[in-house]
Amino acid sequence: MSKNLKITVLTPEFYSYGALLIAGILQEQGYPVKLQKGFGEVIDADIVFISLQSTIHLLKYQKEISSMDTFKIVGGPVTLSPQLILDCLAVDLVVVGEGENTLYNILKVFENNPIPNVSDFKDVSGVAFKKDEQTIITGKGTAHSLERPLPLVPSDISSENIRGANVYLETHRGCPGNCGFCGVPCLFGREVRSRSLEDILNEVKYLLSKGVRKIAISGGTGSLYGSNKFKNVDEEAFIELLREISNLTGPKNLTIPDIRVDLISDQILEAIHQYSNGWVFFGIESGSDRVLRHMKKGVTVDQVREAVAMAREHGVKTAGSFIVAYPGEEEEEFQDTMDLADELMLDDYFVSIAEPIPGTDLGDEVSQLSLEDNILFQDSLKYKRHGLSIAEERALDLMVESYIFRSFPVPMSQNLLKNLLDEVKSQGDHIKSVTHLIKKYPTS
């Protein structure tokens, strides 16, 4: 491949860490590379790597992606279903699974032929393409060692806001959990692979020098850093990680956004209190043990209660993520979730309608479920004048109540209610579109 060929790494809505990483690898290899957010600027490149974070992007940006007159390669979490991408988007290649090793092999093909045909990639493991209307998948990308060059950081990174952070910092990959709605173990496997502390700290220093102010630790469950076995947390490794990053960022600028309720300890919670902004985000999901089992969450409601109580003992603020309208959730089980949320009186709540990610157990289940049996498509009688479904009704009810029974109640106003209603409708429209998509192009 001629090093003079122009490459753009495109991320549709925010600077995803994966896009920064791929752009950094390309730059380190000596290729002129541009990192672009959104479709506002004309793509002037010979090759564009498109990092897609959500299934809805396959519908939302069909026109923009199809109109690009260049060789197009898609990567990111949506690649759990490469055939779905190729059915929806006019792109040349899909990177299947982890992208680093596959990227190096893709570049070798271009080095041999600057204007390749998709068939030239048949011997590259970890890609998918269409040939004579048939989808060819050469396998899944091999697990990467996690040693990598520094990411390419855009000049406006300080204005990025991803759940309160400028950037999510990858500390490890893999999760031995088996949650049916989550793509992390599907994409990265169930074995935990951790980066070296030295590499992480070098990257933090570099990010700060480029204008990053707020960093969130990524990789699924943060406390799994340094561990290689499920429920065998390496407390010392995780605490050292927090302490050393916090020494560089300051505690207020460090967030640990996601932790399982069964992967904490007094020592871990004390470290979060001391070295971070003092918040934990627990994936609570449901107040029904039966629904939690159906989700394959691997925790119980009692463990949720214990984790929240432990966090409070250490002065750590708690936020809870809840999923409503999971397939098979009965009305009384949703009420169990409402009762648990009321009982816990958390500091913040995040409520989502179950989103079927293609390639996950939930995605497979929803693709096989008839629309008539899916409560996302069943009309709500309670909110009939708003045109909501039963799933949207449950999401709205839990959102509204969460402002009342949180640790510091927030008065419900007409403006807040309107915002919540808009959020519920947006979620519902999004997930309805994804449901239609995966039913049209089933992956299993």
Side-chain angles (χ1 to χ4, degrees):
M1 178 179 179
S2 170
K3 298 293 175 96
N4 294 321
L5 289 179
K6 294 176 290 186
I7 302 176
T8 292
V9 177
L10 177 69
T11 180
E13 295 171 352
F14 57 86
Y15 291 121
S16 66
Y17 183 84
L20 272 59
L21 176 58
I22 293 301
I25 291 174
L26 290 166
Q27 186 178 64
E28 189 266 346
Q29 291 290 303
Y31 300 112
V33 58
K34 175 184 178 182
L35 183 62
Q36 178 170 326
K37 179 172 68 172
F39 297 87
E41 297 181 45
V42 175
I43 302 294
D44 179 22
D46 301 292
I47 307 166
V48 59
F49 289 89
I50 309 167
S51 177
L52 299 183
Q53 307 302 306
S54 171
T55 308
I56 199 65
H57 291 166
L58 304 183
L59 296 173
K60 190 174 182 179
Y61 300 115
Q62 277 182 326
K63 181 178 178 182
E64 290 85 350
I65 292 174
S66 297
S67 65
M68 296 178 189
D69 185 20
T70 183
F71 196 96
K72 292 166 281 192
I73 303 174
V74 169
V78 297
T79 61
L80 289 176
S81 178
Q83 182 168 340
L84 180 61
I85 297 172
L86 292 167
D87 286 337
C88 293
L89 300 179
V91 298
D92 299 284
L93 279 185
V94 175
V95 176
V96 184
E98 297 186 41
E100 291 92 340
N101 293 333
T102 302
L103 174 61
Y104 290 120
N105 291 326
I106 288 173
L107 294 176
K108 290 178 182 177
V109 173
F110 277 97
E111 288 169 0
N112 294 327
N113 182 2
I115 309 177
N117 184 283
V118 290
S119 297
D120 294 331
F121 297 91
K122 66 182 185 301
D123 295 324
V124 174
S125 178
V127 299
F129 56 87
K130 277 201 168 184
K131 177 68 173 177
D132 299 327
E133 301 303 316
Q134 297 294 315
T135 298
I136 309 298
I137 303 175
T138 65
K140 189 174 181 180
T142 56
H144 191 252
S145 67
L146 302 191
E147 293 182 5
R148 79 279 295 265
L150 292 168
L152 178 62
V153 182
S155 59
D156 58 344
I157 191 67
S158 62
S159 63
E160 190 65 276
N161 187 343
I162 309 171
R163 290 174 64 188
N166 300 136
V167 67
Y168 272 53
L169 173 70
E170 183 180 57
T171 60
H172 63 282
R173 286 183 184 173
C175 178
N178 195 33
C179 299
F181 53 83
C182 182
V184 170
C186 301
L187 185 64
F188 294 125
R190 300 182 68 181
E191 178 185 353
V192 177
R193 290 166 287 140
S194 299
R195 299 177 60 191
S196 74
L197 181 59
E198 181 182 2
D199 283 352
I200 292 172
L201 296 179
N202 285 338
E203 186 169 306
V204 170
K205 294 173 185 175
Y206 179 73
L207 291 170
L208 294 174
S209 75
K210 292 295 184 179
V212 169
R213 293 176 293 111
K214 295 183 179 294
I215 291 176
I217 287 179
S218 182
T221 292
S223 59
L224 281 172
Y225 175 77
S227 174
N228 56 17
K229 291 183 179 179
F230 192 36
K231 299 185 180 178
N232 183 29
V233 174
D234 188 333
E235 292 179 355
E236 291 185 6
F238 181 62
I239 292 170
E240 184 181 17
L241 173 76
L242 296 191
R243 182 177 63 247
E244 295 303 319
I245 295 178
S246 180
N247 285 340
L248 297 173
T249 64
K252 292 183 179 180
N253 294 320
L254 179 61
T255 303
I256 300 86
D258 299 297
I259 289 189
R260 285 177 60 101
V261 298
D262 57 343
L263 293 177
I264 59 171
S265 67
D266 288 313
Q267 292 77 11
I268 285 174
L269 289 169
E270 186 58 35
I272 290 173
H273 173 71
Q274 184 174 354
Y275 300 124
S276 78
N277 65 354
W279 280 82
V280 291
F281 295 72
F282 289 136
I284 296 173
E285 323 310 357
S286 176
S288 163
D289 281 323
R290 191 201 69 82
V291 172
L292 289 173
R293 287 193 298 271
H294 184 57
M295 291 177 172
K296 300 181 180 179
K297 181 70 181 179
V299 302
T300 66
V301 174
D302 282 343
Q303 285 177 298
V304 170
R305 293 188 177 102
E306 292 168 7
V308 172
M310 284 179 63
R312 286 191 171 128
E313 288 174 3
H314 292 274
V316 173
K317 291 184 179 295
T318 56
S321 297
F322 293 82
I323 297 175
V324 301
Y326 209 82
E329 179 190 71
E330 301 290 345
E331 179 62 36
E332 57 268 26
E333 292 169 328
F334 169 69
Q335 189 59 50
D336 289 338
T337 300
M338 291 277 282
D339 292 342
L340 178 65
D342 188 1
E343 171 193 339
L344 295 176
M345 294 186 66
L346 303 174
D347 298 292
D348 205 354
Y349 293 78
F350 300 92
V351 180
S352 302
I353 300 169
E355 179 177 355
I357 300 173
T360 63
D361 288 349
L362 176 58
D364 293 341
E365 185 173 0
V366 170
S367 71
Q368 299 300 316
L369 185 67
S370 69
L371 297 184
E372 292 77 14
D373 293 328
N374 188 331
I375 62 173
L376 184 61
F377 295 87
Q378 296 175 11
D379 293 337
S380 164
L381 297 179
K382 183 176 180 179
Y383 297 112
K384 187 174 182 179
R385 71 187 183 93
H386 293 293
L388 300 188
S389 67
I390 294 176
E392 293 163 334
E393 170 192 314
R394 292 180 184 177
L396 181 61
D397 280 348
L398 185 53
M399 286 181 186
V400 169
E401 292 298 317
S402 76
Y403 281 87
I404 299 170
F405 48 55
R406 63 182 58 199
S407 57
F408 291 94
V410 177
M412 185 54 57
S413 65
Q414 287 296 323
N415 187 55
L416 177 56
L417 180 60
K418 180 184 181 301
N419 290 340
L420 296 179
L421 188 59
D422 290 344
E423 167 63 20
V424 165
K425 287 181 177 179
S426 176
Q427 279 195 33
D429 290 345
H430 170 116
I431 300 169
K432 285 174 185 174
S433 296
V434 171
T435 300
H436 284 301
L437 187 64
I438 64 177
K439 289 183 75 66
K440 182 178 180 181
Y441 303 110
T443 59
S444 63

Coordinates of all heavy atoms in Angstrom, one line a residue, residues 360-417:
T360 N -26.3 -11.4 20.3 CA -26.4 -11.7 21.7 C -27.6 -12.7 21.9 O -28.4 -12.8 21.0 CB -26.6 -10.5 22.6 OG1 -27.8 -9.8 22.2 CG2 -25.4 -9.5 22.4
D361 N -27.7 -13.3 23.1 CA -28.9 -14.1 23.4 C -30.2 -13.3 23.3 O -31.2 -13.8 22.7 CB -28.7 -14.7 24.8 CG -27.7 -15.8 24.9 OD1 -27.2 -16.2 23.8 OD2 -27.3 -16.2 26.0
L362 N -30.2 -12.1 23.8 CA -31.4 -11.3 23.7 C -31.7 -11.0 22.2 O -32.9 -11.0 21.8 CB -31.2 -10.0 24.5 CG -32.3 -8.9 24.4 CD1 -33.6 -9.5 24.9 CD2 -32.0 -7.7 25.2
G363 N -30.7 -10.7 21.4 CA -30.9 -10.4 20.0 C -31.6 -11.6 19.3 O -32.5 -11.5 18.6
D364 N -31.0 -12.8 19.6 CA -31.6 -14.0 19.0 C -33.0 -14.2 19.5 O -33.9 -14.6 18.7 CB -30.7 -15.2 19.4 CG -29.4 -15.2 18.8 OD1 -29.2 -14.5 17.8 OD2 -28.5 -15.9 19.3
E365 N -33.3 -14.0 20.8 CA -34.6 -14.2 21.3 C -35.7 -13.3 20.7 O -36.7 -13.7 20.3 CB -34.6 -14.1 22.9 CG -35.9 -14.4 23.5 CD -35.8 -14.4 25.1 OE1 -34.7 -14.2 25.6 OE2 -36.9 -14.7 25.7
V366 N -35.3 -12.0 20.6 CA -36.2 -11.0 20.1 C -36.5 -11.3 18.6 O -37.6 -11.1 18.1 CB -35.7 -9.6 20.3 CG1 -36.5 -8.6 19.5 CG2 -35.7 -9.3 21.8
S367 N -35.5 -11.8 17.9 CA -35.6 -12.0 16.4 C -36.6 -13.2 16.2 O -37.3 -13.2 15.2 CB -34.3 -12.4 15.8 OG -33.8 -13.6 16.2
Q368 N -36.7 -14.1 17.2 CA -37.6 -15.2 17.1 C -39.0 -14.9 17.7 O -40.0 -15.7 17.5 CB -37.1 -16.4 17.8 CG -35.7 -16.9 17.2 CD -35.8 -17.3 15.7 OE1 -36.8 -18.0 15.3 NE2 -34.9 -16.8 14.9
L369 N -39.2 -13.8 18.4 CA -40.4 -13.5 19.1 C -41.3 -12.7 18.1 O -40.9 -11.7 17.5 CB -40.1 -12.6 20.3 CG -41.2 -12.2 21.2 CD1 -41.8 -13.4 21.9 CD2 -40.8 -11.1 22.2
S370 N -42.6 -13.1 18.0 CA -43.5 -12.4 17.1 C -43.8 -11.0 17.6 O -43.7 -10.8 18.9 CB -44.8 -13.2 17.0 OG -45.5 -13.2 18.2
L371 N -44.1 -10.1 16.8 CA -44.4 -8.7 17.2 C -45.6 -8.7 18.1 O -45.7 -7.9 19.0 CB -44.6 -7.8 16.0 CG -43.4 -7.6 15.0 CD1 -43.7 -6.6 14.0 CD2 -42.1 -7.2 15.8
E372 N -46.5 -9.6 17.8 CA -47.8 -9.7 18.6 C -47.5 -10.0 20.1 O -48.2 -9.6 21.0 CB -48.7 -10.7 18.0 CG -49.3 -10.3 16.7 CD -48.4 -10.5 15.5 OE1 -47.3 -11.2 15.7 OE2 -48.6 -10.0 14.4
D373 N -46.4 -10.8 20.3 CA -46.0 -11.2 21.6 C -45.0 -10.3 22.3 O -44.6 -10.5 23.4 CB -45.5 -12.7 21.6 CG -46.6 -13.7 21.2 OD1 -47.7 -13.4 21.6 OD2 -46.2 -14.7 20.6
N374 N -44.5 -9.3 21.6 CA -43.5 -8.4 22.1 C -44.2 -7.1 22.6 O -44.9 -6.4 21.9 CB -42.6 -8.0 20.9 CG -41.4 -7.2 21.4 OD1 -41.4 -6.5 22.4 ND2 -40.3 -7.3 20.7
I375 N -44.1 -6.9 23.9 CA -44.8 -5.8 24.5 C -44.3 -4.4 24.1 O -45.0 -3.4 24.3 CB -44.8 -5.9 26.1 CG1 -43.4 -5.7 26.6 CG2 -45.5 -7.1 26.6 CD1 -43.3 -5.6 28.1
L376 N -43.2 -4.4 23.4 CA -42.8 -3.1 22.7 C -43.8 -2.7 21.6 O -43.9 -1.5 21.2 CB -41.4 -3.2 22.2 CG -40.8 -2.0 21.6 CD1 -40.7 -0.8 22.6 CD2 -39.4 -2.3 21.0
F377 N -44.5 -3.7 21.1 CA -45.5 -3.4 20.0 C -46.9 -3.6 20.5 O -47.8 -3.6 19.6 CB -45.2 -4.4 18.9 CG -43.8 -4.1 18.2 CD1 -42.7 -4.7 18.7 CD2 -43.7 -3.3 17.2 CE1 -41.5 -4.5 18.1 CE2 -42.5 -3.0 16.6 CZ -41.3 -3.6 17.1
Q378 N -47.2 -3.7 21.8 CA -48.5 -3.8 22.3 C -48.9 -2.4 22.9 O -48.1 -1.9 23.7 CB -48.6 -4.9 23.4 CG -48.3 -6.3 22.9 CD -48.3 -7.3 24.0 OE1 -48.7 -7.0 25.1 NE2 -47.9 -8.5 23.6
D379 N -50.1 -1.9 22.6 CA -50.5 -0.6 23.0 C -50.7 -0.5 24.5 O -51.3 -1.4 25.1 CB -51.8 -0.2 22.3 CG -51.5 0.0 20.8 OD1 -50.4 0.3 20.4 OD2 -52.5 -0.1 20.0
S380 N -50.3 0.6 25.1 CA -50.5 0.9 26.5 C -51.9 1.5 26.6 O -52.2 2.5 25.9 CB -49.5 1.8 27.0 OG -49.9 2.5 28.2
L381 N -52.7 1.0 27.5 CA -54.0 1.7 27.8 C -53.8 2.9 28.7 O -54.5 3.9 28.6 CB -55.0 0.7 28.4 CG -55.3 -0.6 27.6 CD1 -56.3 -1.5 28.4 CD2 -56.0 -0.1 26.3
K382 N -52.8 2.8 29.6 CA -52.6 3.8 30.6 C -52.2 5.1 29.9 O -52.6 6.2 30.3 CB -51.5 3.4 31.6 CG -51.2 4.4 32.7 CD -50.2 3.8 33.6 CE -49.9 4.7 34.8 NZ -48.9 4.1 35.7
Y383 N -51.3 5.0 28.9 CA -50.8 6.2 28.2 C -51.3 6.2 26.7 O -50.5 6.5 25.8 CB -49.3 6.3 28.2 CG -48.8 6.4 29.6 CD1 -48.1 5.4 30.2 CD2 -49.0 7.6 30.4 CE1 -47.6 5.5 31.5 CE2 -48.5 7.7 31.6 CZ -47.8 6.7 32.2 OH -47.3 6.8 33.5
K384 N -52.5 5.8 26.5 CA -53.0 5.7 25.1 C -53.0 7.0 24.4 O -52.6 7.0 23.2 CB -54.5 5.2 25.2 CG -55.1 4.9 23.8 CD -56.5 4.3 23.9 CE -57.0 3.9 22.6 NZ -58.4 3.3 22.7
R385 N -53.2 8.1 25.1 CA -53.2 9.4 24.3 C -51.8 9.9 23.9 O -51.7 10.7 23.1 CB -53.9 10.5 25.2 CG -53.1 11.0 26.4 CD -54.0 11.9 27.2 NE -53.2 12.4 28.4 CZ -52.6 13.6 28.4 NH1 -52.5 14.3 27.3 NH2 -52.0 14.0 29.5
H386 N -50.8 9.2 24.5 CA -49.4 9.5 24.1 C -48.9 8.5 23.1 O -47.8 8.7 22.6 CB -48.5 9.5 25.4 CG -48.8 10.6 26.4 ND1 -48.6 11.9 26.1 CD2 -49.3 10.6 27.6 CE1 -48.9 12.7 27.1 NE2 -49.4 11.9 28.1
G387 N -49.7 7.5 22.8 CA -49.3 6.6 21.8 C -48.2 5.6 22.2 O -47.4 5.2 21.4
L388 N -48.1 5.4 23.5 CA -47.0 4.5 24.1 C -47.4 3.0 24.0 O -48.6 2.7 24.0 CB -46.7 4.9 25.5 CG -46.2 6.3 25.8 CD1 -45.7 6.4 27.2 CD2 -45.1 6.7 24.8
S389 N -46.3 2.2 24.0 CA -46.5 0.8 24.1 C -46.4 0.4 25.6 O -46.1 1.2 26.4 CB -45.4 0.0 23.3 OG -44.2 0.3 23.9
I390 N -46.7 -0.9 25.9 CA -46.6 -1.3 27.3 C -45.1 -1.2 27.7 O -44.8 -0.8 28.9 CB -47.1 -2.8 27.4 CG1 -48.6 -2.8 27.1 CG2 -46.8 -3.3 28.8 CD1 -49.2 -4.2 27.2
A391 N -44.2 -1.6 26.9 CA -42.7 -1.4 27.2 C -42.4 0.0 27.5 O -41.7 0.3 28.5 CB -41.9 -2.0 26.1
E392 N -42.8 0.9 26.7 CA -42.6 2.3 26.9 C -43.3 2.8 28.2 O -42.7 3.7 28.9 CB -43.0 3.1 25.7 CG -42.2 2.9 24.5 CD -42.8 3.3 23.2 OE1 -44.1 3.4 23.1 OE2 -42.1 3.6 22.2
E393 N -44.5 2.3 28.4 CA -45.2 2.7 29.7 C -44.3 2.3 30.9 O -44.2 3.1 31.8 CB -46.5 1.9 29.7 CG -47.2 2.0 31.0 CD -48.4 1.0 31.1 OE1 -49.2 0.9 30.1 OE2 -48.5 0.3 32.1
R394 N -43.8 1.1 30.9 CA -43.0 0.7 32.0 C -41.7 1.5 32.2 O -41.4 1.9 33.3 CB -42.6 -0.8 31.9 CG -43.8 -1.7 32.0 CD -43.4 -3.2 31.8 NE -44.6 -4.1 31.9 CZ -44.6 -5.4 31.7 NH1 -43.5 -6.0 31.5 NH2 -45.8 -6.1 31.7
A395 N -41.1 1.8 31.1 CA -39.9 2.7 31.2 C -40.3 4.1 31.7 O -39.6 4.6 32.6 CB -39.3 2.8 29.8
L396 N -41.4 4.6 31.3 CA -41.8 6.0 31.8 C -42.1 5.9 33.2 O -41.7 6.8 34.0 CB -42.9 6.5 30.9 CG -43.5 7.9 31.3 CD1 -42.4 8.9 31.1 CD2 -44.7 8.2 30.5
D397 N -42.9 4.9 33.6 CA -43.3 4.8 35.0 C -42.1 4.7 36.0 O -42.0 5.4 37.0 CB -44.2 3.6 35.3 CG -45.6 3.8 34.8 OD1 -46.0 5.0 34.6 OD2 -46.4 2.9 34.7
L398 N -41.1 3.9 35.6 CA -39.9 3.8 36.4 C -39.1 5.1 36.4 O -38.5 5.5 37.5 CB -39.0 2.6 35.9 CG -37.8 2.2 36.8 CD1 -38.2 2.1 38.3 CD2 -37.1 1.0 36.3
M399 N -39.0 5.7 35.3 CA -38.2 7.0 35.2 C -38.9 8.0 36.1 O -38.2 8.7 36.9 CB -38.2 7.5 33.8 CG -37.3 6.8 32.8 SD -37.3 7.5 31.2 CE -36.3 6.4 30.3
V400 N -40.2 8.2 36.0 CA -40.9 9.2 36.8 C -40.7 8.9 38.3 O -40.4 9.8 39.1 CB -42.4 9.2 36.4 CG1 -43.2 10.1 37.4 CG2 -42.6 9.8 35.0
E401 N -41.0 7.7 38.7 CA -40.9 7.3 40.1 C -39.4 7.5 40.6 O -39.2 7.8 41.8 CB -41.4 5.9 40.3 CG -42.8 5.7 40.1 CD -43.7 6.5 41.0 OE1 -43.4 6.6 42.2 OE2 -44.7 7.1 40.6
S402 N -38.5 7.3 39.7 CA -37.1 7.4 40.2 C -36.7 8.7 40.7 O -35.8 8.9 41.5 CB -36.1 6.9 39.1 OG -36.0 7.9 38.1
Y403 N -37.4 9.8 40.2 CA -37.1 11.1 40.6 C -37.7 11.4 42.0 O -37.3 12.3 42.7 CB -37.6 12.1 39.6 CG -36.7 12.3 38.5 CD1 -36.8 11.5 37.3 CD2 -35.7 13.2 38.5 CE1 -35.9 11.6 36.3 CE2 -34.8 13.4 37.4 CZ -34.9 12.5 36.3 OH -34.0 12.6 35.3
I404 N -38.7 10.6 42.4 CA -39.3 10.7 43.7 C -38.6 10.0 44.8 O -38.4 10.5 45.9 CB -40.8 10.3 43.6 CG1 -41.5 11.1 42.5 CG2 -41.5 10.3 44.9 CD1 -42.9 10.6 42.2
F405 N -38.2 8.7 44.5 CA -37.7 7.9 45.6 C -36.1 7.8 45.6 O -35.6 7.0 46.2 CB -38.3 6.5 45.6 CG -38.3 5.8 44.3 CD1 -37.2 5.6 43.5 CD2 -39.5 5.3 43.8 CE1 -37.2 4.9 42.3 CE2 -39.6 4.6 42.6 CZ -38.4 4.4 41.8
R406 N -35.5 8.8 44.9 CA -34.0 8.8 45.0 C -33.6 9.5 46.3 O -34.4 10.0 47.0 CB -33.4 9.5 43.8 CG -33.8 10.9 43.6 CD -33.1 11.5 42.4 NE -33.5 10.8 41.2 CZ -32.9 10.8 40.0 NH1 -31.8 11.6 39.9 NH2 -33.3 10.2 39.0
S407 N -32.3 9.4 46.6 CA -31.8 9.9 47.9 C -32.2 11.4 48.1 O -32.5 11.8 49.3 CB -30.3 9.7 48.0 OG -29.7 10.4 47.0
F408 N -32.1 12.2 47.1 CA -32.6 13.6 47.2 C -33.6 13.7 46.1 O -33.3 13.9 44.9 CB -31.4 14.5 46.9 CG -30.4 14.5 48.0 CD1 -29.2 13.7 48.0 CD2 -30.6 15.3 49.1 CE1 -28.3 13.7 49.0 CE2 -29.6 15.3 50.2 CZ -28.5 14.5 50.1
P409 N -34.9 13.6 46.5 CA -36.0 13.7 45.6 C -36.0 15.0 44.7 O -35.6 16.0 45.2 CB -37.3 13.6 46.4 CG -36.8 13.0 47.7 CD -35.4 13.4 47.9
V410 N -36.4 14.8 43.5 CA -36.5 15.9 42.5 C -38.0 16.1 42.2 O -38.7 15.2 41.8 CB -35.7 15.6 41.2 CG1 -35.9 16.8 40.2 CG2 -34.3 15.4 41.5
P411 N -38.5 17.4 42.4 CA -39.9 17.6 42.1 C -40.2 17.4 40.6 O -39.4 17.7 39.7 CB -40.1 19.1 42.5 CG -39.0 19.4 43.4 CD -37.8 18.5 42.9
M412 N -41.3 16.7 40.4 CA -41.7 16.5 39.0 C -42.4 17.7 38.4 O -43.4 18.2 39.0 CB -42.7 15.3 38.9 CG -43.1 14.9 37.5 SD -41.7 14.5 36.4 CE -40.8 13.2 37.3
S413 N -41.9 18.2 37.3 CA -42.4 19.4 36.7 C -43.0 19.0 35.3 O -42.6 17.9 34.8 CB -41.4 20.5 36.5 OG -40.3 20.1 35.7
Q414 N -43.7 19.9 34.7 CA -44.2 19.6 33.3 C -43.1 19.4 32.3 O -43.1 18.6 31.4 CB -45.2 20.7 32.9 CG -46.5 20.6 33.6 CD -47.3 19.4 33.2 OE1 -47.3 18.9 32.1 NE2 -48.0 18.8 34.2
N415 N -42.0 20.3 32.5 CA -40.9 20.2 31.6 C -40.1 18.9 31.8 O -39.7 18.3 30.8 CB -40.0 21.4 31.9 CG -38.9 21.5 30.9 OD1 -39.1 21.6 29.6 ND2 -37.6 21.5 31.3
L416 N -39.9 18.5 33.0 CA -39.2 17.2 33.3 C -40.0 16.1 32.7 O -39.4 15.2 32.1 CB -38.9 17.1 34.8 CG -38.3 15.7 35.2 CD1 -36.9 15.5 34.4 CD2 -38.0 15.7 36.7
L417 N -41.3 16.1 33.0 CA -42.2 15.0 32.5 C -42.1 14.9 30.9 O -42.0 13.8 30.4 CB -43.6 15.2 32.9 CG -44.6 14.1 32.5 CD1 -44.2 12.7 33.0 CD2 -46.0 14.5 33.0

